[in-house]
Each structure stands twice: as C-alpha cells, then as structure tokens.
Amino acid sequence: MNETHHHIFIEGTNNKNVLILLHGTGGNEHDLINVGKHIDPDASILGVRGNVLEGGMPRYFRRLAEGVFDEVDLFFRAQELHDFLNDAIQHYAPKSEQITMIGYSNGANIAATLLMKHEKLVDRAILFHAMVPYRNQEVLALDNTYVFIGAGSNDPIIPQNETQELIDVLRSNQATVKDIWYNSGHQLTMNEVEDAQKWYSSI
Ligand code: MLT
C-alpha cells in the first residue's frame, strides 16, 4: 500500500468501526490513542503522523505564522493524506462501515479540510480546537455528515471567531454540527473527551 505516512493500526474487536487519529503540532501517531479508546473501546484505530516538520515538530501542513496557513501546502498535503487514508482503510479495514476522524488542533484543521474539500471518506468527525482552514473556495455538500466540535472560550491559539466561522461553514453546507464551548484554553480536557464520547454513542 501507499506508505506516505508514519502510522499505527490497532485492530479493534468491532471491525466495522474505525477511528482515524490526527494529532496536534509536535505530536505523533500515538498521541490520541487513549482518547480514541475512550470514545470507542471496540473500534479499530488508525493513528497517522503529519508529514511536515516545523522546527522538528510534526504537523499536517505548513503555516506562515501561528494561525496563518500556507494554502498551497494545505491543499497538497490534504490530498496526500486523503490518498493515504483511502489506501490504508482498504488495506487494514476493508469491511469497515463507520469511519470517524478525530483531530486535535492542527489535526482537526486538516480533518476539516478533508471534510470540506475532498471526496467523502468519513461521515463523522470529532474536531477538538479547530479553526476554519481556508476561505473563498468551494466547500462540498455535507449532507449526512455529523461533526462534534469542542472549543475553548479562552483558547489563545484558536480565536473563538475562527471556530465559529468553521461551525457556520459546516452548517451552511448541510453538516449536522454539535458544538460545545468550554471555559478553557488550547488544551484538550477530559470533559471534552467525555462529551465527544456521549455524542459519538448517541448518533
Ligand atoms: C494550526 O497551525 O493548525 C493551528 O494554528 C493550531 C496548531 O498550533 O496546531
């Protein structure tokens, strides 16, 4: 199969459900395994490392400054990740029926790009601390796409209006979005993971 990305696959007891894990800046393919196991302990897990390095820290695409993305690289890397995920799912979990992306920060931003711009890969996504990844370009119709967004009202890296704009874009393109705001900063908290778990089991 296409080996463009470092990754880990852990086979679950329920081979119909797969969780794709996308880490934050400086993370790796192992980072969100505990979060994934909390959200669906029976699912298979595919953790993927970003291919770009910023001062030695893995990310999924380049940025020009904090919160200012290199759109050319974003679209190139999103396509590369999309192709990898397509292949990896075929290879590891050909019988999967329900695939969910779980992303945090930079991982949530590339997950949002995959939802908005690329041929449908998943029908559910959990985006922790995400922002609108691009503007002024086409967004696909997102009927039957379910998205959970967890955001910190005092997140110094992801301004509230950027997350709100993402929520608005997803909703105006027919996605079903549940957003929960926490009195927290950029860190992913246990409260958010618990709420994402409840949302995941309710849809
Ligand atoms: C990004 O670059 O995707 C966001 O600014 C969040 C992060 O620091 O990863």
Side-chain angles (χ1 to χ4, degrees), residues 48-130:
V48 185
R49 193 189 310 174
N51 263 351
V52 165
L53 286 178
E54 182 187 86
M57 296 191 296
R59 291 174 49 84
Y60 294 94
F61 57 89
R62 289 199 192 101
R63 61 180 162 182
L64 305 173
E66 198 167 273
V68 184
F69 300 157
D70 175 338
E71 275 198 3
V72 174
D73 193 60
L74 168 65
F75 295 142
F76 173 77
R77 297 292 172 184
Q79 183 66 58
E80 183 185 54
L81 181 60
H82 182 271
D83 294 346
F84 169 77
L85 292 173
N86 244 338
D87 257 33
I89 297 289
Q90 287 299 320
H91 177 78
Y92 291 116
K95 299 208 171 105
S96 60
E97 287 173 11
Q98 182 191 286
I99 306 172
T100 305
M101 280 192 292
I102 304 178
Y104 166 63
S105 190
N106 184 244
N109 293 338
I110 194 119
T113 310
L114 292 180
L115 288 178
M116 288 160 61
K117 210 169 187 313
H118 290 270
E119 187 195 322
K120 196 169 172 111
L121 202 64
V122 304
D123 47 24
R124 296 167 170 215
I126 296 174
L127 308 180
F128 295 119
H129 301 258

Side-chain angles (χ1 to χ4, degrees), residues 141-169:
L142 294 167
D143 310 73
N144 302 317
T145 301
Y146 297 85
V147 184
F148 175 93
I149 293 196
S153 311
N154 308 308
D155 190 328
I157 294 174
I158 312 282
Q160 279 195 35
N161 60 316
E162 296 266 351
T163 305
Q164 190 56 53
E165 192 175 334
L166 172 64
I167 294 166
D168 296 344
V169 168

